[in-house]
Amino acid sequence: MRSRGIRLAYAILAVYASLAAFVFLRAMDDLGPLGATDIVHVSGSAPSVPSAETIATIEHVAAQHDVNVVRFVEDLDDPAGARHLFLAVGDPQLASGSWLEDGYPSFSQDVRTSVHPLAERADMDPRGHYFTFGEAAATPVLAQALRAQGYTVETRAYYAPPQIMGWLVTQPLALSALVAALLVVVVVAASVLTNVRGYAVQRLHGVAPGRVLARDLRRALPSLLATLVAVAIADAVLLAVYNGGAQWPAFAAATAILTAAFVLLALGTHALALALAAERPVLEALKGRLPARATGVAVYLVRLPALLVAIAAVVGAGVAGVQLVAQAEASERWAAAGTAVHVLFSPNLSQEEFDALAVPAGEWMLAAEADGEIALAAQEEVVWGQGLPGRHESLLVNNAYLAQQDVRDVEGARIVDLPQDVVTVLVPSRYADAAASIADDVRTWTDGVSRGVQGVEIRTRVLAPGQELFTYGGASRPNQPPLLRDAVAVVVNGGSGVLDPDTYTSLATGQGVVVDDAETARAGLTSVGAQEIAMAFRPVALDAAQERAALVNDTRLHVFNAVVALAVLLATSVAVAQVSTRKNAQAIFARSISGWGFVRTHRGLLGAELVLALAVVAWSAWSTVVGLTATVRPGGAATSSQALVVLGPWQPVLLAGVVAASLAALAAALSVLGRRLVRTRSSEA
């Protein structure tokens, strides 16, 4: 047979495996050092021994058991762009044993990595994440030694499949893998089934099915090997340019695993397609006829997943595009944020330690707010009742926030310097008629949050139409834009007594508190002895720039997924048309020469496809309406209907476009194939 389609399929899988391995390793390298054996998480109560003793214990275990142990620490001032590895060398012969002299061979170039001796952490809290390199038998020994010092220790394999799969399903890479898999299936199956006559000739000569498959692969093998070699050379060159060839063994292993998985998929598809082609008697197969029912079932087994994947890919691309646009719209606000930071809190403290530090940290924040050094921007803390039904956004702010952001009332006057002892509710103009009910909801919230302070005065003020509120990037749910439109703002200053120190710290843990700069945050927490509560200070503007770069990359991948997924879906439309035309060739010819119209000739297939399309659009419209009108309860998990609505009212429109394109491709293919059939049969007559 002509192996052009098979060659194309193997070229697709080889290129995709390399791209996927690159994206996967870059993401994994951003999460931690590559090549580790195990992860050891040390947490629990305050240590009962000096930190220097714990570090000495780790170094002793490393030396005794010939392993290297790395403490992973994010940079305090730039946690998203820099990190530190503190290394205890027990086996200099391992690749990680040379990192102190040669540096860490970063696969990803998005994060700067510095390597230091573990002894430099002797005066710091030893709780955190450690990575072991070497024999896995050393990990339990290390864990036991740390438990003996009073720590809580958890261990797991670094490349544990459950954790990797759990992470992968949240990434665009997972969807791209489904798209690539469907593309390989469609290309291989189409290549085999369109050569049904050639296979019939081989069957006529008594060639066994296994030999048929072997012959196909043997014919495609030279070009397959050439493709693999070409891709390998291209990978080596590009990797050398990107990172100097760092971590190439890991990249080669990941590429080989993915390539092997896709090759198995292609071989399985090839074998099943051959079995399908062999179902027809030889004489019928020599005429190019396929087993209509089995082929139709097989096509729809690919078409339905292709439709779901195409919908997911298009929606994903839409979400990524909306996020990118929203990020760009807020660019001036991000730039104006300057040196402002969010405080990232340490996850390694015990609950008792955190509670003990939360009060002094909150006291400092309240004092800093009074000095105008802290802006409050906390989302969805008010539970709305009847005053504001349906899905809605809200933002807790203070006078410092109003001084930094241009917030105006319905008369165009800027809102600044509101009374300290009054809670002011800024109501969007579209909800002005419900201002009294909204104020009642806020009163219920203040009475529930306040400890010992009741009956705080509540005032309302109507915002200008279209007023936007900047969140400083502290999103309370996935895919949330940095600018909230028509959101309720509740101005709560420290002087009102509504927010006590513990509550203020709780708001800060959700990135609802913005400090003027990292030095102010560091000095302030140190002044009250609460410096251990902070893990890092994340610059708002820098974080936005890095998030935008990540969004650009994600958007490109999502758009690529959508284009390829739509191509696969349209290919299945053509396949359905081919199967239907071959199955009903005689009837189509008779109806055409009898003057039947296109829709009447193909009414069965078109009707079934239309029902499927309408079902998809109706489900999307229904779920969108339910999701948009459902009440959001702060702190609670989103309902399934809310989770499904990620593009608002445009989501059903987008899905309608996908199914319309699929139907149009089917109709066009039926029209072309039908005319070709009539023309061929007429010339034969």
Side-chain angles (χ1 to χ4, degrees):
M1 65 168 276
R2 292 171 306 194
S3 56
R4 186 182 306 164
I6 304 299
R7 292 198 301 268
L8 175 61
Y10 284 110
I12 290 171
L13 65 87
V15 172
Y16 175 78
S18 296
L19 292 175
F22 174 82
V23 173
F24 172 73
L25 281 182
R26 188 177 64 174
M28 291 296 292
D29 194 34
D30 288 342
L31 297 175
L34 294 175
T37 305
D38 294 308
I39 297 178
V40 180
H41 182 211
V42 181
S43 59
S45 303
S48 58
V49 298
S51 296
E53 184 175 335
T54 300
I55 297 302
T57 298
I58 296 172
E59 291 177 327
H60 176 73
V61 172
Q64 287 292 105
H65 295 272
D66 297 328
V67 294
N68 299 334
V69 181
V70 171
R71 170 74 191 277
F72 179 88
V73 180
E74 293 174 322
D75 189 81
L76 191 63
D77 297 315
D78 185 13
R83 61 187 178 181
H84 302 272
L85 303 181
F86 294 87
L87 173 63
V89 178
D91 185 357
Q93 303 304 315
L94 294 174
S96 55
S98 63
W99 291 355
L100 286 173
E101 293 77 22
D102 302 333
Y104 172 70
S106 298
F107 185 88
S108 171
Q109 301 299 292
D110 297 333
V111 181
R112 302 183 307 278
T113 304
S114 302
V115 184
H116 318 268
L118 183 61
E120 291 185 8
R121 296 287 298 181
D123 59 343
M124 306 293 289
D125 189 340
R127 287 171 294 184
H129 286 88
Y130 294 81
F131 296 80
T132 63
F133 294 79
E135 291 295 329
T139 302
V141 178
L142 176 62
Q144 187 57 40
L146 294 173
R147 290 189 185 105
Q149 295 184 342
Y151 296 100
T152 299
V153 182
E154 299 175 1
T155 65
R156 67 173 175 85
Y158 185 42
Y159 295 108
Q163 283 78 13
I164 291 178
M165 291 304 299
W167 171 81
L168 269 179
V169 296
T170 66
Q171 305 298 311
L173 185 61
L175 187 59
S176 72
L178 288 176
V179 172
L182 284 172
L183 183 58
V184 169
V185 168
V186 168
V187 172
V188 172
S191 178
V192 173
L193 294 178
T194 53
N195 195 52
V196 64
R197 287 190 180 91
Y199 291 121
V201 171
Q202 295 185 56
R203 289 166 56 197
L204 194 62
H205 288 83
V207 180
R211 288 186 59 194
V212 173
L213 177 60
R215 183 177 295 178
D216 285 351
L217 297 179
R218 187 166 57 250
R219 290 175 177 173
L221 186 60
S223 60
L224 171 60
L225 292 176
T227 299
L228 293 177
V229 170
V231 170
I233 293 174
D235 288 343
V237 172
L238 294 175
L239 196 62
V241 172
Y242 176 69
N243 62 14
Q247 302 288 354
W248 70 263
F251 175 75
T255 303
I257 291 172
L258 288 171
T259 301
F262 277 99
V263 166
L264 290 176
L265 175 65
L267 290 175
T269 303
H270 197 146
L272 288 175
L274 284 175
L276 196 62
E279 281 198 3
R280 271 288 191 183
V282 173
L283 293 180
E284 293 186 11
L286 286 171
K287 299 177 182 179
R289 295 176 182 173
L290 290 170
R293 180 174 299 177
T295 305
V297 171
V299 168
Y300 272 96
L301 286 176
V302 176
R303 179 165 173 74
L304 292 179
L307 176 61
L308 296 177
V309 170
I311 289 173
V314 170
V315 170
V319 170
V322 168
Q323 288 181 285
L324 195 58
V325 170
Q327 194 81 355
E329 289 176 348
S331 58
E332 292 184 4
R333 308 288 186 98
W334 290 119
T339 59
V341 298
H342 285 126
V343 179
L344 302 185
F345 291 83
S346 174
N348 302 317
L349 301 176
S350 66
Q351 188 62 51
E352 293 77 13
E353 287 179 287
F354 185 88
D355 292 342
L357 294 174
V359 173
E363 290 173 345
W364 167 74
M365 291 181 198
L366 284 168
E369 180 199 287
D371 295 335
E373 297 175 334
I374 281 183
L376 186 64
Q379 295 182 59
E380 295 186 322
E381 293 295 328
V382 178
V383 178
W384 302 113
Q386 297 303 313
L388 198 61
R391 184 170 191 156
H392 207 74
E393 308 283 3
S394 61
L395 193 69
L396 297 186
V397 302
N398 58 6
N399 277 346
Y401 177 94
L402 296 175
Q404 296 172 12
Q405 302 299 320
D406 187 4
V407 180
R408 297 183 179 271
D409 64 16
V410 71
E411 296 176 356
R414 185 173 177 186
I415 302 175
V416 291
D417 199 21
L418 297 177
Q420 284 279 337
D421 58 346
V422 174
V423 174
T424 305
V425 185
L426 306 180
V427 182
S429 58
R430 64 185 296 188
Y431 300 117
D433 294 342
S437 298
I438 293 173
D440 290 340
D441 289 338
V442 173
R443 184 179 304 281
T444 301
W445 171 76
T446 58
D447 290 344
V449 158
S450 304
R451 298 180 183 177
V453 179
Q454 299 291 319
V456 178
E457 183 181 356
I458 308 291
R459 298 178 184 174
T460 61
R461 196 163 170 179
V462 179
L463 291 169
Q467 175 67 55
E468 297 176 330
L469 300 177
F470 183 52
T471 67
Y472 286 93
S476 61
R477 57 182 171 82
N479 306 323
Q480 191 169 37
L483 291 177
L484 303 181
R485 293 176 175 84
D486 288 328
V488 175
V490 182
V491 186
V492 185
N493 291 300
S496 68
V498 171
L499 302 177
D500 63 10
D502 194 44
T503 303
Y504 217 100
T505 301
S506 177
L507 294 176
T509 60
Q511 297 187 1
V513 171
V514 182
V515 189
D516 280 353
D517 55 68
E519 189 54 41
T520 298
R522 184 185 294 107
L525 291 173
T526 302
S527 69
V528 295
Q531 65 273 16
E532 293 296 328
I533 203 171
M535 179 180 69
F537 305 107
R538 177 176 291 168
V540 171
L542 180 60
D543 197 35
Q546 292 167 339
E547 182 180 350
R548 177 172 175 78
L551 278 175
V552 169
N553 290 333
D554 282 353
T555 301
R556 289 171 179 165
L557 185 53
H558 277 299
V559 170
F560 173 78
N561 287 345
V563 170
V564 178
L566 285 172
V568 172
L569 179 61
L570 298 183
T572 63
S573 296
V574 175
V576 168
Q578 287 179 327
V579 172
S580 176
T581 302
R582 288 193 179 191
K583 175 186 176 183
N584 305 302
Q586 191 65 34
I588 292 173
F589 177 72
R591 292 169 182 173
S592 297
I593 62 176
S594 299
W596 285 30
F598 173 77
V599 174
R600 187 182 178 190
T601 299
H602 302 281
R603 61 181 181 272
L605 177 59
L606 293 176
E609 286 282 334
L610 185 60
V611 168
L612 176 62
L614 291 176
V616 170
V617 175
W619 168 80
S620 179
W622 175 80
S623 62
T624 299
V625 171
V626 172
L628 291 177
T629 56
T631 300
V632 174
R633 296 299 180 185
T639 65
S640 58
S641 58
Q642 292 166 358
L644 287 171
V645 181
V646 291
L647 289 177
W650 287 102
Q651 190 158 308
V653 177
L654 200 59
L655 266 62
V658 172
V659 295
S662 177
L663 272 176
L666 175 64
L670 285 173
S671 177
V672 171
L673 293 173
R675 287 199 301 269
R676 183 184 300 169
L677 172 68
V678 172
R679 187 166 57 250
T680 303
R681 292 289 180 93
S682 298
S683 63
E684 291 175 353

